[in-house]
Amino acid sequence: MTDIGHAWSALGGDPALLPRVSTVVREGALQGRLPVRELARACVGACALAAAELGARRAGLPDVPGVRVDDGAVAAAFVSERHLLVDGRAPVTFAPLSRFWRTADGWVRTHANYPHHRARLLDALGVPKDVAAVEAALAERSSREVEEAVYAAGGLAVALRTPKEWAEHEQGALVAGRPLIERERLDSTHARVLAPADATSTPLLPAAGLRVLDLTRVVAGPVATRTLALLGADVLRVDPPRLPELPDQHADTGFGKRSTTLDLVVGRHAFEELLGTADVVVTGYRPGALDRFGLSARALAERRPGVVVAQLSAWGGYGPWGTRRGFDSLVQVATGIATVEGSVEQPGALPAQALDHGTGYLLAAAVLRALTEQSYEGGSRVVRLALARTARWLVDGGGAGGVEGAPYEGPGPWLAEADSGLGRLRYALSPVSFEGGPADWARPPGPWGADAPRWS
């Protein structure tokens, strides 16, 4: 089931700590046919408990602080991109060519938010940048033909499948056979001793003093590193200089971080200097894409013994789709979620990008738990999560329902405002909450790529 206990078990957590978690149930939050609210609550609750556990360990507390998971805070955070305002302007979420399209035999969904993905989609279809032209071209082809042709051209398109069709697909079967969270110890290196946290300080910051290299893009990875920043980590996001992030996406997920650009070939020396004192490296590019730069988990651990490497992918780093790019919306379509939330005749979507956000909080939780385990056992660590595996957990969770609670009356209590280098921001607060923990980020996001490639 999609509960905190299942997520906590997947993280290797002590079940005796689960009573430290209390929940505030709000009916109507994240409503869908699938148990989205329950999954979101479980991911956030497990992350908050992992944070409280590490905080207690570092501060020498006799008990792990109590964790409170409020469905209202969770619901607001899981659609944080919709609540964002920049100087009163609502963000752009999906581009015109990122949507469902009818094909000759069904439906396909494309993702073309980034200019290079849009160009590859148009090249694959042989049409100009025109919605009507794309629509006409897709209507003449089968959905599976479009899927393969667009991926072959380096673009993104996925054919609509039912849960049964995905379960019978080779990639779906491989994903189903993997754990929700893959955890591996890479060596027997003694972990660096984390400086003790001051138990009397307010707030208690479990990740204080930790340095996190953030090599992620889009939503899930940046949500994970945004959460680590909330908990006190020095997070430096590193992007290729010729591949800018979408401005509104950067504003939404950049809280608490600094942002720099670095060419991993020309700027190799600078990157190695950063890695030399990093505690955590989080990667979110398709599997294998960074290996040629010496950024596989084992290569990183060889150069930085004791590091925690967190790897995120869309489909899992194995099988026929192991090296494919993917996004939440596409994973929903491939795994059958879009048919459950709609139908084969008219596909639907989850009430939030729950695969992205949920996996992001689980990824942060896996990093925190790895750090706690290191403090006892040492060893470089790697944790791996995939959006498709989170999707399987959601589909297997059954129908929505559960304990009744007060009605959800909107996100108001969980929204805040702050001035930033990007303008006046309205944003959703983090739902990760535990006794004595932080209520907000220490700093708002700044302009993309504006910081020097060095630790603060």
Side-chain angles (χ1 to χ4, degrees), residues 209-227:
L210 297 174
R211 290 173 167 174
V212 178
L213 270 176
D214 178 2
L215 306 177
T216 69
R217 293 179 70 80
V218 196
V219 179
V223 164
T225 52
R226 181 179 70 182
T227 302

Side-chain angles (χ1 to χ4, degrees), residues 111-315:
H111 195 288
N113 286 1
Y114 289 98
H116 57 293
H117 291 156
R118 181 179 65 239
R120 291 166 186 171
L121 170 66
L122 297 173
D123 286 346
L125 299 177
V127 297
K129 182 186 172 183
D130 178 79
V131 170
V134 173
E135 192 168 44
L138 291 173
E140 296 175 351
R141 307 187 189 187
S142 73
S143 57
R144 305 293 174 89
E145 177 191 355
V146 171
E147 179 180 90
E148 293 305 319
V150 173
Y151 265 105
L156 294 116
V158 170
L160 180 71
R161 290 173 172 83
T162 65
K164 183 176 183 294
E165 288 172 331
W166 178 245
E168 293 171 349
H169 189 282
E170 183 180 352
Q171 190 68 30
L174 288 171
V175 167
R178 297 292 183 118
L180 178 63
I181 300 164
E182 298 183 42
R183 303 156 51 239
E184 183 183 354
R185 181 171 172 172
L186 298 172
D187 55 38
S188 57
T189 303
H190 290 294
R192 296 174 302 287
V193 177
L194 299 178
D198 183 358
T200 64
S201 67
T202 302
L204 176 62
L205 297 173
L210 297 174
R211 290 173 167 174
V212 178
L213 270 176
D214 178 2
L215 306 177
T216 69
R217 293 179 70 80
V218 196
V219 179
V223 164
T225 52
R226 181 179 70 182
T227 302
L228 296 174
L230 171 83
L231 299 171
D234 180 7
V235 179
L236 181 64
R237 173 160 165 171
V238 180
D239 282 289
R242 291 177 295 279
L243 199 61
E245 182 58 283
L246 301 174
D248 292 335
Q249 208 156 255
H250 168 70
D252 178 46
T253 60
F255 282 86
K257 312 177 194 179
R258 291 177 302 115
S259 168
T260 193
T261 60
L262 194 62
D263 185 305
L264 292 181
V265 175
V266 178
R268 187 59 187 230
H269 178 71
F271 180 84
E272 293 299 323
E273 284 194 335
L274 290 170
L275 176 63
T277 55
D279 300 289
V280 178
V281 179
V282 186
T283 67
Y285 292 78
R286 62 187 175 88
L290 297 178
D291 290 4
R292 62 193 175 98
F293 299 108
L295 300 182
S296 69
R298 291 197 177 276
L300 289 167
E302 288 173 1
R303 304 202 303 284
R304 180 54 170 157
V307 72
V308 172
V309 180
Q311 297 179 329
L312 172 75
S313 66
W315 311 105

